[in-house]
Amino acid sequence: MPLQLIEKRYDIIVIGGGLAGLCAAIAAARHGCKTALIEARPVLGGNSSSLIRVNPTGACTFNSWARETGIIEEIVTEYVKRSHLPIRNGLMTSLWDLVLYEMARAERNLDLYLDTVAFDVEMASPNRIASVKCIQIGSELMYRLTAQYFIDCTGDATIGALAGAEYRMGREARSEFNETPIIAPETPDRQTQGSTLMFKSVDTGRPIPYEPPPWAERYPDEASLYIRHHAAVRLPDGSKVYAGYWWIEIGAPYDTIHQNSEIRDELLRHLLGVWDHIKNRGEHEAENMALEWIGFVPGKRESRRLVGDYILTEHDLKSQKLFEDRVAYGGWFIDVHTMGGILAKDRPPEHLAGNADLSDELVVEVYSIPFRCLYSKNISNLLMAGRNISVTHVALGSTRVMMTCAVIGQAVGTAAALCKKHGITPRELYEKHVHELQQVLVRDDCFIPEVPNRDAGDLARRAEAKATSHAELTLEPVGEEALYVDRCIVFPVSESRVEDVYLWMHSYVDREIDLTIEFLPVSSIWSLNEKPLGDPIKSSATIPPLHEGWVRFRLSADVEPRRLYRINVPATTGLCWGRARSQPGVVAGWKKTYWRRWRHAHFAHALKLMPPSYPYTPDNAVNGYARPYKWTNIWISDPRRGLPQSLILDFGEEVTFSTIYLTFDTNLNLETTRIPPLYVFPECVRDYEIKLLDGEPRTLISIRGNYRRRRIHRFKPVTARKLCIEVQATNGDPCARIYEVRVYE
């Protein structure tokens, strides 16, 4: 029986329903475009779905306050509130699939096609796609879907390849882009990073034997799993689970596209061999553990990369180059896995795992991603997002992680919508409207380095912000960190002079220690490795034997108010520096004494300033940024004053408006893998009211039970001179916290 053919027309078609494709499709739909999202599998999420179970990670793992926002933040916030398991490899469940499904179904402009394989393209001309042809498995339906713009989020760049788009696959010669010899080979080849199969075990409470099949690989001892760590994961409830591991990976010499099934079969041999090792070889205390789930869909890292008008390189990442057309950011380290994966038994699975001192070469700070990497060089209506964007093999090591792919996806979906709005190609959008694209993305809660809110329609930009209170910078000790490495702290200074700085120190030696610190300005929270901005001020103090408490360092320094400064403390045997809870705009760093480059830490150090710093004033809520960057960029009320607390915007005259955007605090310093299960961010405002203050106060909006970072309120137009956001309760924090308020007519 012939398949039934159904023809439909859309503005934008997104092929591939991983996090990049989902975010692209939602963004396009939210901007008014009739959008189709085509996914070959029965669930969304790509490598993060319950079919594969790779945890989404991104820039925040290696950079403080760098967790991705926008659509992906909505997804993560919703999932962690519902899930009893953390976001970890092997632990992603079908509840994640459900959240993604609900996100897609909630968009009225978005049609979702699951179990639908796009197998061909029809061209309107040699450089323009007209339609894609698809088969929906299980429905005996064939679709011909036509659109003005197509977004390839297939990972394998399948649509681009079918359309004749220029692409690369494999490794460039190191000479082509002068990339690092650690990763780039002397001569080019078609080798790629491998694909992985995950697994998950469960504690049954009684001994469970395991007999591997005769075809399973044998790993008789620890040496046979060279630098492939396989300890159990402890869940928040104290239970133990073996899950993952990412290093059960095979790529070269196989072709990760055309030999995908062979790779799966080979991976199964090794996965079951690893489980045999855990159960039967050595002391793993896995007697009561049983296999609960085994992946049968390989999670790919690398295959084709479509070529755009620009190819992002290793040097762009390391130099933190600010592209004029930047629309997204990354910050994962340059994570290029060993060719061959687990087949390369005498080599580490990736370079940094084998040698931590390669941190100098492979760990990067937040960098920008240009729009020119996100549309095809030779197919005029094709854009791309995910691991198939225009980057080198080396740069892909960083850009391929899923949180980064998600923000790229939102950027591309928004770009396609603007192309539709103006009736132009993506290249023309770059040439004529890229600043409009940047402003739309920033309005939609996407962060772009050094792109503040410049929206002329935002009435809040012209308002004077006031508040009932604001907080002092307070960094009290809650623990300590040994100074076996050099350590530093970046912090905001609100005043024009710093007389003294106090550091909380604990000495474990019965002699005096002379300690000299350095004090200097920095450009941003992600500038730990920038060239010093002038000569540092040095100050010394003597720490008494076995001292535990504050130590005063005299600075007597005139400083530029409302900017970030830094203190460096050298490695000192027998001395610990107090550890403090992180605060917006505060960053800790560390490095081994012989390293050139600093690494970020996700905590703060105990510090006091004299005079005190007050960096959380209400004007931050209208200064153009909605996350810590070159300043704190957040209003925080004084915790000693309790709640409710209010933020007031005075427009100076009566204005008419009908839309308010609010951005709250969901602790962007907490990386996804460390968010607890069943979690609501305590910093986030829970109950609030929006009031008009002209004459008798009038409540416009009243919200209870909020847990989301971004809230948009639309209502019939009102006219007022003053607007008040009264925070009545949070989800646990004693302070009211608001990053941004936007007001539109």
Side-chain angles (χ1 to χ4, degrees), residues 193-194 246 249 301 335-339 349-351 393 400:
Q193 297 176 87
W246 58 265
E249 168 190 359
R301 288 180 177 84
D335 181 12
V336 177
H337 290 200
T338 297
M339 295 298 107
E350 57 88 7
H351 299 81
H393 165 81
R400 64 179 173 79

Side-chain angles (χ1 to χ4, degrees), residues 31-273:
H31 285 286
C33 292
K34 188 61 179 174
T35 305
L37 175 58
I38 301 168
E39 168 54 44
R41 295 170 183 152
V43 295
L44 298 167
N47 282 343
S48 70
S49 76
S50 64
L51 298 178
I52 302 174
R53 304 194 183 186
V54 179
N55 61 256
T57 54
C60 192
T61 302
F62 291 88
N63 294 276
S64 302
W65 300 101
R67 199 173 76 239
E68 293 76 4
T69 51
I71 294 168
I72 190 61
E73 168 71 7
E74 297 176 38
I75 292 170
V76 169
T77 300
E78 187 63 34
Y79 178 69
V80 298
K81 182 176 183 290
R82 300 187 194 183
S83 176
H84 69 288
L85 290 174
I87 299 176
R88 299 290 295 272
N89 276 338
L91 303 183
M92 305 301 293
T93 71
S94 56
L95 189 61
W96 174 257
D97 305 339
L98 179 61
V99 169
L100 303 184
Y101 176 84
E102 289 176 357
M103 289 285 293
R105 286 297 190 198
E107 299 299 326
R108 61 182 179 86
N109 287 322
L110 178 58
D111 288 348
L112 177 60
Y113 295 84
L114 294 175
D115 291 310
T116 304
V117 179
F119 67 90
D120 196 12
V121 301
E122 297 174 328
M123 304 297 290
S125 67
N127 69 340
R128 184 175 180 83
I129 302 173
S131 62
V132 293
K133 295 177 73 175
C134 314
I135 291 178
Q136 191 168 60
I137 300 169
S139 302
E140 296 188 353
L141 297 176
M142 180 179 290
Y143 291 95
R144 178 184 285 117
L145 304 179
T146 302
Q148 293 175 264
Y149 304 95
F150 296 81
I151 304 176
D152 189 337
C153 300
T154 61
D156 288 335
T158 303
I159 300 306
L162 289 170
E166 185 177 335
Y167 68 84
R168 294 181 172 218
M169 186 165 175
R171 304 187 292 178
E172 293 89 357
R174 68 183 62 151
S175 59
E176 183 174 1
F177 296 100
N178 192 30
E179 292 184 308
T180 175
I182 298 169
I183 299 171
E186 278 195 40
T187 57
D189 58 41
R190 288 182 63 82
Q191 294 189 53
T192 63
Q193 297 176 87
S195 304
T196 287
L197 283 186
M198 295 285 178
F199 73 90
K200 179 181 180 293
S201 63
V202 62
D203 189 340
T204 67
R206 61 185 178 87
I208 299 292
Y210 176 71
E211 178 68 29
W215 45 267
E217 184 74 6
R218 293 295 188 260
Y219 290 99
D221 50 34
E222 293 300 308
S224 65
L225 285 171
Y226 178 65
I227 313 185
R228 287 167 171 85
H229 305 294
H230 47 279
V233 174
R234 288 288 177 182
L235 298 179
D237 64 2
S239 62
K240 180 173 68 175
V241 62
Y242 288 92
Y245 299 96
W246 58 265
W247 46 260
I248 302 177
E249 168 190 359
I250 293 174
Y254 293 87
D255 183 311
T256 51
I257 296 176
H258 300 301
Q259 293 181 287
N260 185 59
S261 292
E262 295 169 60
I263 289 173
R264 177 204 58 224
D265 295 344
E266 184 69 6
L267 281 168
L268 278 170
R269 287 203 322 109
H270 290 270
L271 185 155
L272 295 177

Side-chain angles (χ1 to χ4, degrees), residues 216-525:
E217 184 74 6
R218 293 295 188 260
Y219 290 99
D221 50 34
E222 293 300 308
S224 65
L225 285 171
Y226 178 65
I227 313 185
R228 287 167 171 85
H229 305 294
H230 47 279
V233 174
R234 288 288 177 182
L235 298 179
D237 64 2
S239 62
K240 180 173 68 175
V241 62
Y242 288 92
Y245 299 96
W246 58 265
W247 46 260
I248 302 177
E249 168 190 359
I250 293 174
Y254 293 87
D255 183 311
T256 51
I257 296 176
H258 300 301
Q259 293 181 287
N260 185 59
S261 292
E262 295 169 60
I263 289 173
R264 177 204 58 224
D265 295 344
E266 184 69 6
L267 281 168
L268 278 170
R269 287 203 322 109
H270 290 270
L271 185 155
L272 295 177
V274 170
W275 183 243
D276 171 53
H277 171 86
I278 292 171
K279 285 287 293 183
N280 302 321
R281 324 283 174 186
E283 299 298 325
H284 296 97
E285 297 183 352
E287 293 80 8
N288 293 353
M289 307 300 294
L291 277 178
E292 181 185 62
W293 172 84
I294 299 171
F296 274 80
V297 181
K300 291 186 186 180
R301 288 180 177 84
E302 181 178 7
S303 54
R304 300 184 189 100
R305 306 185 305 279
L306 294 170
V307 177
D309 279 349
Y310 187 84
I311 298 176
L312 195 71
T313 73
E314 167 198 0
H315 300 292
D316 297 325
L317 276 54
K318 288 183 174 179
S319 67
Q320 298 179 279
K321 183 175 181 179
L322 282 176
F323 295 94
E324 182 184 5
D325 59 324
R326 58 195 180 274
V327 293
Y329 72 93
W332 185 259
F333 80 110
I334 300 175
D335 181 12
V336 177
H337 290 200
T338 297
M339 295 298 107
I342 202 168
L343 301 179
K345 295 186 177 182
D346 60 342
R347 298 174 60 195
E350 57 88 7
H351 299 81
L352 196 58
N355 182 2
D357 290 343
L358 289 177
S359 175
D360 275 343
E361 302 297 331
L362 301 179
V363 176
V364 297
E365 292 175 283
V366 169
Y367 57 84
S368 70
I369 298 172
F371 180 53
R372 284 167 295 160
C373 293
L374 309 182
Y375 62 85
S376 170
K377 180 179 181 179
N378 66 309
I379 303 298
S380 63
N381 63 339
L382 177 65
L383 303 96
M384 56 272 196
R387 61 181 173 83
N388 61 357
I389 67 171
S390 184
V391 295
T392 65
H393 165 81
V394 175
L396 177 71
S398 176
T399 64
R400 64 179 173 79
V401 293
M402 283 183 278
M403 298 289 283
T404 303
C405 290
V407 295
I408 292 172
Q410 184 166 354
V412 166
T414 305
L418 288 180
C419 286
K420 171 68 170 61
K421 170 187 172 183
H422 294 293
I424 57 177
T425 66
R427 181 176 287 117
E428 290 171 321
L429 184 71
Y430 157 67
E431 293 169 344
K432 301 174 183 177
H433 296 280
V434 72
H435 297 300
E436 178 186 0
L437 172 58
Q438 290 172 331
Q439 286 302 306
V440 173
L441 288 168
V442 170
R443 187 190 68 200
D444 291 344
D445 200 26
C446 295
F447 174 76
I448 306 173
E450 288 201 27
V451 178
N453 171 19
R454 294 193 178 96
D455 190 342
D458 179 10
L459 301 174
R461 293 180 64 219
R462 308 196 297 267
E464 180 185 4
K466 304 174 184 178
T468 48
S469 71
H470 58 267
E472 176 185 342
L473 177 66
T474 304
L475 296 168
E476 294 289 336
V478 294
E480 57 186 44
E481 296 291 330
L483 284 167
Y484 66 93
V485 291
D486 296 337
R487 296 193 181 275
C488 72
I489 183 172
V490 172
F491 53 94
V493 176
S494 64
E495 309 305 308
S496 60
R497 188 168 174 82
V498 176
E499 294 292 347
D500 303 311
V501 62
Y502 294 82
L503 306 183
W504 192 95
M505 292 288 173
H506 187 181
S507 172
Y508 285 86
V509 296
D510 57 359
R511 56 176 173 79
E512 291 184 343
I513 297 176
D514 293 324
L515 185 65
T516 300
I517 66 171
E518 295 180 333
F519 173 80
L520 66 162
V522 293
S523 297
S524 81
I525 59 173

